[in-house]
Amino acid sequence: MSKEVNYQNNPLHGLNLKTMLTEIVDHYGFEILHAYLYIHSFKTNPSVDSSVKFLKKTQWAREKVEAFYLYKFKNLPKVSSDQFELPPRDRIIPEDQSPGTPCELSLEDAGVLQQQRESRANEYDKLAGRDSPKDRQPSKTKPKTQDKPWSKQGSKSPWEPQAKSASSAEVKTSGTTPDPWANSRNKFKS
């Protein structure tokens, strides 16, 4: 007694990723897509082919673009709460709903939307007892000057000569012949 599910009314039914992305990019462009979806591949050297390659590998980004296609480009009404948990391709669109004209989007609207998201995130952080990123103090740990543990502090390279310290001057003046290992022995004596 399996019940047949009709996905025919879903605009994503039978639509491949490249065709969908080409339609969106032709209408809105990559700049608007990046502003609304904040996916890095839409900002840095954007192309349909590279974006499709990224979206095929990354499920969360693909679902974000598919939801954008359904609710901004095809201008469908918001889904019911039971359908919201499903990926956009698996959602059942009621037969009385049909795609409309694409929404008018602008970069200014995207900026307002981004500010609203940030304020909601800050409210959520306050309710959870966390500081917002703007209120956080920088860490008090010392920053690493170099990533090479064998190099001495203040030197540009481990192979450049180091500045002479007072202990090395004392060692050289105390003996008649300079001892190349005196500095390392003096470190262990302290």
Side-chain angles (χ1 to χ4, degrees):
M1 290 198 204
S2 67
K3 187 178 176 183
E4 291 281 330
V5 179
N6 185 10
Y7 294 107
Q8 297 292 328
N9 200 33
N10 189 335
L12 294 171
H13 180 73
L15 182 69
N16 69 10
L17 200 55
K18 186 172 185 175
T19 306
M20 176 187 63
L21 193 61
T22 304
E23 286 180 32
I24 297 173
V25 170
D26 287 346
H27 187 74
Y28 291 117
F30 280 111
E31 191 173 11
I32 294 284
L33 280 177
H34 178 260
Y36 274 85
L37 301 176
Y38 206 70
I39 295 176
H40 189 65
S41 67
F42 294 153
K43 183 177 183 180
T44 310
N45 297 327
S47 72
V48 172
D49 292 332
S50 66
S51 297
V52 166
K53 187 175 179 181
F54 171 74
L55 293 173
K56 282 183 178 179
K57 294 179 184 177
T58 316
Q59 182 180 355
W60 65 266
R62 183 174 56 250
E63 289 178 2
K64 214 173 180 181
V65 172
E66 288 172 349
F68 181 87
Y69 181 81
L70 287 177
Y71 305 111
K72 296 292 184 190
F73 186 69
K74 290 297 182 178
N75 206 4
L76 289 171
K78 291 185 180 181
V79 297
S80 61
S81 59
D82 60 333
Q83 293 286 313
F84 184 75
E85 297 294 323
L86 296 173
R89 283 199 182 265
D90 295 340
R91 294 179 184 165
I92 300 171
I93 309 296
E95 292 189 24
D96 61 331
Q97 294 179 5
S98 61
T101 59
C103 295
E104 294 296 322
L105 303 177
S106 68
L107 292 175
E108 293 82 23
D109 294 339
V112 170
L113 184 64
Q114 182 64 25
Q115 288 175 350
Q116 290 174 350
R117 287 179 185 160
E118 287 175 4
S119 66
R120 277 187 263 150
N122 289 337
E123 288 175 18
Y124 181 78
D125 284 342
K126 286 179 185 175
L127 289 174
R130 295 185 294 254
D131 292 335
S132 66
K134 294 176 184 174
D135 298 337
R136 292 186 188 137
Q137 297 292 329
S139 64
K140 304 217 178 198
T141 60
K142 286 185 176 180
K144 291 184 178 182
T145 56
Q146 294 180 347
D147 59 350
K148 297 178 179 141
W150 59 83
S151 63
K152 294 184 180 180
Q153 295 266 345
S155 173
K156 294 180 182 173
S157 168
W159 296 278
E160 289 183 12
Q162 303 293 323
K164 305 247 180 194
S165 63
S167 62
S168 64
E170 292 172 11
V171 171
K172 289 187 178 182
T173 57
S174 63
T176 55
T177 60
D179 183 4
W181 300 104
N183 289 338
S184 62
R185 282 197 301 266
N186 286 341
K187 288 181 185 175
F188 292 114
K189 287 181 183 178
S190 313

Coordinates of all heavy atoms in Angstrom, one line a residue, residues 74-150:
K74 N 11.6 31.5 -8.6 CA 10.3 31.0 -9.0 C 9.2 31.6 -8.2 O 8.0 31.4 -8.5 CB 10.2 29.5 -9.0 CG 11.0 28.8 -10.0 CD 10.5 29.1 -11.4 CE 11.3 28.4 -12.5 NZ 10.8 28.7 -13.8
N75 N 9.5 32.3 -7.1 CA 8.6 33.1 -6.3 C 7.4 32.3 -5.8 O 6.3 32.7 -5.8 CB 8.1 34.3 -7.1 CG 7.7 35.4 -6.2 OD1 7.8 35.4 -5.0 ND2 7.2 36.5 -6.8
L76 N 7.7 31.1 -5.3 CA 6.7 30.2 -4.7 C 6.5 30.7 -3.2 O 7.4 31.2 -2.6 CB 7.1 28.8 -4.7 CG 7.2 28.1 -6.1 CD1 7.8 26.7 -6.0 CD2 5.7 28.0 -6.6
P77 N 5.3 30.4 -2.7 CA 5.1 30.8 -1.3 C 5.9 29.9 -0.4 O 6.4 28.8 -0.8 CB 3.6 30.5 -1.1 CG 3.0 30.2 -2.4 CD 4.1 30.0 -3.4
K78 N 6.1 30.3 0.9 CA 6.9 29.6 1.8 C 6.3 28.2 2.1 O 5.0 28.1 2.0 CB 7.1 30.3 3.1 CG 7.9 31.6 3.0 CD 8.2 32.2 4.3 CE 9.0 33.4 4.2 NZ 9.3 34.1 5.4
V79 N 7.1 27.2 2.4 CA 6.6 25.9 2.6 C 6.0 25.7 4.0 O 6.2 26.5 4.9 CB 7.7 24.8 2.4 CG1 8.3 24.9 1.0 CG2 8.8 25.1 3.4
S80 N 5.2 24.7 4.1 CA 4.6 24.4 5.4 C 5.7 23.8 6.3 O 6.8 23.4 5.9 CB 3.5 23.4 5.3 OG 4.0 22.2 4.7
S81 N 5.5 23.8 7.6 CA 6.5 23.3 8.6 C 6.9 21.9 8.4 O 8.0 21.5 8.6 CB 6.0 23.6 10.0 OG 4.8 22.9 10.2
D82 N 6.0 21.0 8.0 CA 6.3 19.6 7.8 C 7.2 19.4 6.5 O 8.0 18.5 6.5 CB 5.1 18.7 7.7 CG 4.2 19.1 6.5 OD1 4.2 20.3 6.1 OD2 3.5 18.2 6.0
Q83 N 7.2 20.3 5.6 CA 8.0 20.2 4.4 C 9.3 20.9 4.5 O 10.3 20.7 3.8 CB 7.3 20.8 3.2 CG 6.1 20.0 2.7 CD 6.5 18.7 2.0 OE1 7.3 18.7 1.2 NE2 5.8 17.6 2.4
F84 N 9.4 21.8 5.5 CA 10.6 22.7 5.7 C 11.9 21.8 6.0 O 13.0 22.2 5.6 CB 10.4 23.7 6.9 CG 11.5 24.6 7.1 CD1 11.7 25.7 6.2 CD2 12.4 24.5 8.1 CE1 12.7 26.6 6.3 CE2 13.5 25.4 8.3 CZ 13.6 26.4 7.4
E85 N 11.7 20.7 6.7 CA 12.9 19.9 7.1 C 13.4 19.1 5.9 O 14.6 18.7 5.9 CB 12.5 18.9 8.2 CG 12.1 19.6 9.5 CD 13.2 20.3 10.1 OE1 14.4 19.8 10.1 OE2 13.0 21.4 10.7
L86 N 12.6 19.0 4.8 CA 13.1 18.2 3.7 C 14.0 19.0 2.8 O 13.8 20.3 2.7 CB 11.9 17.7 2.9 CG 10.9 16.8 3.5 CD1 9.7 16.6 2.7 CD2 11.6 15.5 3.8
P87 N 14.9 18.4 2.1 CA 15.7 19.2 1.0 C 14.7 19.7 0.0 O 13.7 19.1 -0.3 CB 16.6 18.1 0.4 CG 16.6 17.0 1.4 CD 15.3 17.0 2.2
P88 N 15.1 20.8 -0.7 CA 14.2 21.4 -1.7 C 13.7 20.5 -2.8 O 12.6 20.6 -3.2 CB 15.0 22.6 -2.2 CG 15.9 22.9 -1.1 CD 16.3 21.6 -0.4
R89 N 14.6 19.6 -3.2 CA 14.2 18.7 -4.3 C 13.1 17.7 -3.9 O 12.4 17.1 -4.7 CB 15.4 17.9 -4.9 CG 16.2 18.8 -5.8 CD 17.1 18.0 -6.7 NE 17.9 18.9 -7.5 CZ 17.6 19.2 -8.7 NH1 16.5 18.8 -9.3 NH2 18.5 20.0 -9.4
D90 N 13.0 17.4 -2.6 CA 12.1 16.4 -2.1 C 10.8 17.0 -1.6 O 9.9 16.3 -1.1 CB 12.7 15.6 -0.9 CG 13.9 14.8 -1.3 OD1 14.1 14.5 -2.5 OD2 14.8 14.4 -0.5
R91 N 10.7 18.3 -1.6 CA 9.5 19.0 -1.2 C 8.3 18.8 -2.2 O 8.5 18.8 -3.4 CB 9.7 20.5 -0.9 CG 10.7 20.7 0.2 CD 11.0 22.1 0.4 NE 12.0 22.2 1.5 CZ 12.6 23.3 1.7 NH1 12.4 24.4 1.0 NH2 13.5 23.4 2.7
I92 N 7.1 18.7 -1.6 CA 5.9 18.5 -2.4 C 5.3 19.9 -2.5 O 4.9 20.5 -1.5 CB 5.0 17.5 -1.9 CG1 5.7 16.1 -1.8 CG2 3.7 17.4 -2.7 CD1 4.9 15.1 -1.0
I93 N 5.2 20.4 -3.7 CA 4.5 21.7 -3.9 C 3.0 21.4 -4.2 O 2.7 20.6 -5.1 CB 5.2 22.4 -5.1 CG1 6.7 22.5 -5.0 CG2 4.5 23.8 -5.3 CD1 7.2 23.3 -3.8
P94 N 2.1 22.0 -3.5 CA 0.7 21.8 -3.8 C 0.3 22.2 -5.2 O 0.9 23.1 -5.8 CB 0.0 22.7 -2.8 CG 1.0 22.9 -1.7 CD 2.3 22.9 -2.3
E95 N -0.6 21.4 -5.8 CA -1.0 21.6 -7.2 C -1.6 23.0 -7.5 O -1.6 23.4 -8.6 CB -1.9 20.5 -7.6 CG -1.1 19.2 -7.7 CD -2.0 18.1 -8.3 OE1 -2.9 18.4 -9.1 OE2 -1.7 16.9 -8.0
D96 N -2.1 23.6 -6.4 CA -2.7 24.9 -6.7 C -1.7 26.1 -6.7 O -2.0 27.2 -7.1 CB -3.8 25.3 -5.6 CG -3.2 25.3 -4.2 OD1 -2.2 24.6 -3.9 OD2 -3.7 26.1 -3.3
Q97 N -0.4 25.7 -6.4 CA 0.6 26.7 -6.5 C 1.4 26.6 -7.8 O 1.7 25.5 -8.2 CB 1.6 26.6 -5.3 CG 1.0 26.9 -4.0 CD 2.0 26.7 -2.8 OE1 3.2 26.4 -3.1 NE2 1.5 26.8 -1.6
S98 N 1.7 27.7 -8.4 CA 2.4 27.7 -9.6 C 3.5 28.7 -9.6 O 3.4 29.8 -8.9 CB 1.5 27.9 -10.9 OG 0.9 29.2 -10.8
P99 N 4.6 28.5 -10.2 CA 5.7 29.5 -10.2 C 5.3 30.8 -10.8 O 4.5 30.9 -11.7 CB 6.8 28.9 -11.1 CG 6.5 27.4 -11.2 CD 5.0 27.3 -11.0
G100 N 5.9 31.9 -10.2 CA 5.5 33.2 -10.6 C 6.8 33.9 -11.2 O 7.7 33.2 -11.6
T101 N 6.7 35.2 -11.3 CA 7.8 36.0 -11.9 C 8.9 36.1 -10.8 O 8.6 36.1 -9.6 CB 7.4 37.4 -12.3 OG1 6.9 38.1 -11.2 CG2 6.4 37.3 -13.4
P102 N 10.2 36.2 -11.2 CA 11.3 36.3 -10.2 C 11.1 37.5 -9.3 O 10.7 38.6 -9.8 CB 12.5 36.3 -11.1 CG 12.1 35.7 -12.4 CD 10.7 36.0 -12.5
C103 N 11.6 37.4 -8.1 CA 11.6 38.5 -7.2 C 12.6 39.6 -7.6 O 13.6 39.2 -8.2 CB 12.0 38.1 -5.8 SG 10.8 37.0 -5.0
E104 N 12.3 40.8 -7.4 CA 13.2 41.9 -7.6 C 14.2 42.0 -6.5 O 13.8 42.3 -5.3 CB 12.5 43.2 -7.8 CG 11.6 43.3 -9.1 CD 12.4 43.1 -10.3 OE1 13.5 43.7 -10.4 OE2 11.9 42.5 -11.3
L105 N 15.5 41.7 -6.7 CA 16.5 41.7 -5.6 C 17.5 42.8 -5.9 O 17.8 43.1 -7.1 CB 17.2 40.4 -5.6 CG 16.2 39.2 -5.3 CD1 17.0 37.9 -5.3 CD2 15.5 39.3 -4.0
S106 N 18.1 43.4 -4.9 CA 19.1 44.4 -5.1 C 20.2 44.2 -4.0 O 20.0 43.5 -3.0 CB 18.6 45.8 -5.0 OG 18.1 46.1 -3.7
L107 N 21.3 44.8 -4.2 CA 22.4 44.7 -3.2 C 22.1 45.4 -1.9 O 22.5 45.0 -0.9 CB 23.7 45.3 -3.8 CG 24.3 44.5 -5.0 CD1 25.5 45.2 -5.6 CD2 24.7 43.1 -4.5
E108 N 21.3 46.5 -2.0 CA 20.9 47.2 -0.8 C 20.0 46.3 0.1 O 20.1 46.3 1.3 CB 20.1 48.5 -1.2 CG 21.0 49.6 -1.8 CD 21.2 49.3 -3.3 OE1 20.3 48.7 -3.9 OE2 22.2 49.8 -3.9
D109 N 19.1 45.6 -0.6 CA 18.2 44.7 0.1 C 19.0 43.6 0.8 O 18.7 43.1 1.9 CB 17.1 44.1 -0.8 CG 16.1 45.1 -1.3 OD1 16.0 46.2 -0.6 OD2 15.5 44.8 -2.3
A110 N 20.0 43.1 0.1 CA 20.9 42.1 0.6 C 21.6 42.6 1.9 O 21.8 41.8 2.8 CB 21.9 41.6 -0.4
G111 N 22.1 43.9 1.8 CA 22.7 44.4 3.0 C 21.8 44.5 4.2 O 22.2 44.2 5.3
V112 N 20.6 44.9 4.0 CA 19.6 45.0 5.1 C 19.3 43.6 5.6 O 19.2 43.4 6.8 CB 18.3 45.6 4.5 CG1 17.1 45.5 5.5 CG2 18.5 47.1 4.2
L113 N 19.2 42.6 4.7 CA 19.0 41.2 5.1 C 20.2 40.7 6.0 O 20.0 40.0 7.0 CB 18.8 40.3 3.9 CG 18.4 38.9 4.2 CD1 17.1 38.7 4.8 CD2 18.4 38.1 2.8
Q114 N 21.4 41.1 5.6 CA 22.6 40.6 6.3 C 22.6 41.3 7.7 O 22.9 40.6 8.7 CB 23.8 41.0 5.6 CG 25.1 40.6 6.2 CD 25.3 39.1 6.4 OE1 24.7 38.3 5.6 NE2 26.0 38.7 7.3
Q115 N 22.2 42.5 7.8 CA 22.1 43.2 9.2 C 21.1 42.5 10.0 O 21.3 42.4 11.2 CB 21.8 44.7 9.0 CG 23.0 45.5 8.4 CD 22.6 46.9 8.2 OE1 21.4 47.3 8.2 NE2 23.6 47.7 7.9
Q116 N 19.9 42.2 9.5 CA 18.9 41.5 10.2 C 19.4 40.1 10.7 O 19.1 39.7 11.9 CB 17.6 41.3 9.4 CG 16.9 42.5 9.1 CD 15.7 42.3 8.1 OE1 15.6 41.2 7.5 NE2 14.9 43.3 7.9
R117 N 20.1 39.4 9.9 CA 20.7 38.1 10.3 C 21.7 38.3 11.4 O 21.7 37.5 12.4 CB 21.4 37.4 9.1 CG 20.4 36.9 8.1 CD 21.2 36.2 6.9 NE 20.3 35.8 5.9 CZ 20.7 35.6 4.7 NH1 21.9 35.8 4.3 NH2 19.8 35.2 3.8
E118 N 22.5 39.3 11.3 CA 23.5 39.6 12.4 C 22.8 39.9 13.7 O 23.2 39.5 14.8 CB 24.5 40.7 12.0 CG 25.5 40.2 10.9 CD 26.3 41.4 10.4 OE1 26.2 42.5 11.0 OE2 27.2 41.1 9.5
S119 N 21.8 40.8 13.6 CA 21.1 41.1 14.9 C 20.4 39.9 15.5 O 20.4 39.8 16.7 CB 20.1 42.3 14.6 OG 19.0 41.8 13.8
R120 N 19.8 39.1 14.7 CA 19.2 37.9 15.2 C 20.2 36.9 15.8 O 20.0 36.3 16.9 CB 18.4 37.1 14.1 CG 17.0 37.7 14.0 CD 16.2 36.9 13.0 NE 16.3 37.5 11.7 CZ 16.2 36.9 10.5 NH1 16.1 35.7 10.4 NH2 16.4 37.6 9.4
A121 N 21.4 36.8 15.2 CA 22.4 36.0 15.7 C 23.0 36.6 17.1 O 23.2 35.8 18.0 CB 23.6 35.9 14.7
N122 N 23.1 37.9 17.2 CA 23.5 38.5 18.4 C 22.5 38.3 19.5 O 22.8 38.0 20.7 CB 23.8 40.0 18.2 CG 25.0 40.3 17.4 OD1 25.9 39.4 17.3 ND2 25.1 41.4 16.8
E123 N 21.2 38.4 19.2 CA 20.1 38.1 20.2 C 20.2 36.7 20.6 O 20.1 36.4 21.8 CB 18.8 38.4 19.6 CG 18.5 39.9 19.4 CD 17.2 40.1 18.7 OE1 16.3 39.2 18.6 OE2 17.0 41.2 18.2
Y124 N 20.4 35.8 19.7 CA 20.5 34.3 20.1 C 21.7 34.1 21.0 O 21.6 33.4 21.9 CB 20.6 33.5 18.8 CG 20.8 32.0 19.0 CD1 19.6 31.3 19.3 CD2 22.0 31.4 18.9 CE1 19.7 29.9 19.5 CE2 22.1 30.0 19.2 CZ 20.9 29.3 19.5 OH 21.1 28.0 19.7
D125 N 22.9 34.8 20.7 CA 24.1 34.6 21.5 C 23.8 35.2 22.9 O 24.3 34.6 23.9 CB 25.2 35.4 20.9 CG 25.8 34.6 19.7 OD1 25.6 33.4 19.6 OD2 26.6 35.2 18.9
K126 N 23.1 36.3 23.0 CA 22.8 36.8 24.3 C 21.9 35.9 25.1 O 22.1 35.7 26.3 CB 22.1 38.2 24.2 CG 23.1 39.3 23.8 CD 22.4 40.6 23.6 CE 23.4 41.7 23.1 NZ 22.7 43.0 22.9
L127 N 20.9 35.3 24.5 CA 20.0 34.4 25.2 C 20.8 33.1 25.6 O 20.5 32.5 26.6 CB 18.9 34.0 24.2 CG 17.8 35.0 24.0 CD1 16.8 34.6 23.0 CD2 17.1 35.4 25.3
A128 N 21.8 32.7 24.8 CA 22.6 31.6 25.1 C 23.7 31.9 26.2 O 24.4 31.0 26.6 CB 23.2 31.0 23.9
G129 N 23.9 33.2 26.5 CA 24.9 33.6 27.5 C 26.3 33.8 26.9 O 27.2 33.8 27.6
R130 N 26.3 33.9 25.6 CA 27.6 34.2 24.9 C 27.7 35.6 24.6 O 26.7 36.3 24.3 CB 27.7 33.3 23.6 CG 27.8 31.8 23.9 CD 28.0 31.1 22.6 NE 26.9 31.2 21.7 CZ 26.1 30.3 21.4 NH1 26.2 29.1 22.0 NH2 25.1 30.5 20.5
D131 N 29.0 36.1 24.5 CA 29.2 37.5 24.0 C 29.1 37.5 22.5 O 29.4 36.5 21.8 CB 30.6 37.9 24.4 CG 30.8 38.1 25.9 OD1 29.8 38.3 26.5 OD2 31.9 38.0 26.3
S132 N 28.7 38.6 22.0 CA 28.7 38.8 20.5 C 30.1 38.9 20.0 O 31.0 39.3 20.8 CB 27.8 39.9 20.1 OG 28.4 41.1 20.5
P133 N 30.4 38.6 18.8 CA 31.8 38.7 18.3 C 32.4 40.1 18.5 O 33.5 40.3 18.7 CB 31.7 38.4 16.8 CG 30.4 37.6 16.7 CD 29.5 38.1 17.8
K134 N 31.5 41.2 18.4 CA 32.0 42.5 18.6 C 32.5 42.8 20.0 O 33.4 43.6 20.3 CB 31.0 43.5 18.2 CG 30.7 43.5 16.7 CD 29.5 44.4 16.4 CE 29.2 44.3 14.9 NZ 28.0 45.1 14.6
D135 N 31.8 42.1 21.0 CA 32.1 42.4 22.4 C 33.3 41.5 22.9 O 33.8 41.8 24.0 CB 30.9 42.1 23.3 CG 29.7 43.0 22.9 OD1 30.0 44.1 22.4 OD2 28.6 42.6 23.2
R136 N 33.7 40.5 22.2 CA 34.7 39.6 22.7 C 36.1 40.4 22.7 O 36.5 41.1 21.9 CB 34.9 38.4 21.8 CG 33.7 37.5 21.9 CD 33.8 36.3 21.1 NE 32.6 35.6 21.0 CZ 32.1 35.0 20.0 NH1 32.7 35.0 18.9 NH2 30.9 34.4 20.1
Q137 N 36.8 40.1 23.8 CA 38.2 40.6 24.0 C 39.1 39.7 23.2 O 39.0 38.5 23.2 CB 38.5 40.6 25.5 CG 37.6 41.5 26.3 CD 37.8 43.0 26.0 OE1 38.9 43.4 25.6 NE2 36.8 43.8 26.1
P138 N 40.2 40.4 22.7 CA 41.2 39.5 22.0 C 41.9 38.7 23.1 O 42.0 39.0 24.2 CB 42.2 40.6 21.4 CG 41.9 41.8 22.1 CD 40.5 41.8 22.6
S139 N 42.4 37.5 22.6 CA 43.1 36.6 23.6 C 44.4 37.3 24.1 O 45.0 38.1 23.5 CB 43.4 35.3 22.9 OG 44.3 35.5 21.9
K140 N 44.7 36.9 25.3 CA 45.8 37.5 26.0 C 47.1 36.7 25.8 O 48.1 37.0 26.5 CB 45.5 37.7 27.5 CG 44.3 38.5 27.7 CD 44.4 39.4 28.8 CE 43.1 40.2 28.9 NZ 43.1 41.4 29.6
T141 N 47.1 35.7 25.0 CA 48.3 34.9 24.8 C 49.2 35.6 23.9 O 48.8 36.4 23.1 CB 47.9 33.5 24.2 OG1 47.2 33.8 23.0 CG2 47.0 32.7 25.1
K142 N 50.5 35.3 24.0 CA 51.5 36.0 23.2 C 51.3 35.4 21.8 O 51.2 34.2 21.6 CB 52.9 35.7 23.7 CG 53.2 36.4 24.9 CD 54.7 36.2 25.2 CE 55.1 37.0 26.4 NZ 56.5 36.7 26.8
P143 N 51.3 36.3 20.8 CA 51.3 35.8 19.4 C 52.6 35.2 19.0 O 53.7 35.6 19.5 CB 51.0 37.1 18.6 CG 51.5 38.2 19.4 CD 51.4 37.8 20.8
K144 N 52.6 34.2 18.2 CA 53.8 33.5 17.8 C 54.5 34.4 16.8 O 53.9 34.9 15.8 CB 53.5 32.1 17.2 CG 53.0 31.1 18.2 CD 52.8 29.8 17.5 CE 52.3 28.8 18.5 NZ 52.2 27.5 17.9
T145 N 55.8 34.6 17.0 CA 56.5 35.5 16.1 C 56.9 34.7 14.9 O 56.9 35.2 13.8 CB 57.7 36.1 16.8 OG1 58.5 35.0 17.3 CG2 57.3 37.0 17.9
Q146 N 57.2 33.4 15.0 CA 57.6 32.6 13.9 C 57.0 31.2 14.1 O 56.8 30.8 15.2 CB 59.1 32.5 13.8 CG 59.8 33.8 13.5 CD 61.3 33.7 13.4 OE1 61.8 32.7 13.8 NE2 62.0 34.7 12.9
D147 N 56.9 30.5 13.0 CA 56.4 29.2 13.1 C 57.5 28.1 13.1 O 57.2 27.0 13.1 CB 55.4 28.9 11.9 CG 56.1 29.1 10.6 OD1 57.2 29.6 10.5 OD2 55.5 28.7 9.6
K148 N 58.7 28.6 13.2 CA 59.8 27.6 13.3 C 60.3 27.5 14.7 O 60.9 28.5 15.2 CB 60.9 28.0 12.4 CG 60.5 28.0 10.9 CD 61.6 28.5 10.0 CE 61.1 28.5 8.6 NZ 61.5 29.5 7.8
P149 N 60.2 26.4 15.4 CA 60.5 26.3 16.8 C 62.0 26.4 17.1 O 62.4 26.8 18.1 CB 60.0 25.0 17.2 CG 59.8 24.2 16.0 CD 59.6 25.2 14.9
W150 N 62.8 26.2 16.1 CA 64.3 26.2 16.3 C 64.9 27.6 16.2 O 66.0 27.8 16.5 CB 65.0 25.2 15.3 CG 64.7 25.6 13.9 CD1 65.4 26.6 13.2 CD2 63.7 25.1 13.0 NE1 64.9 26.7 11.9 CE2 63.8 25.8 11.8 CE3 62.7 24.1 13.2 CZ2 63.0 25.5 10.7 CZ3 61.9 23.9 12.1 CH2 62.1 24.6 10.9

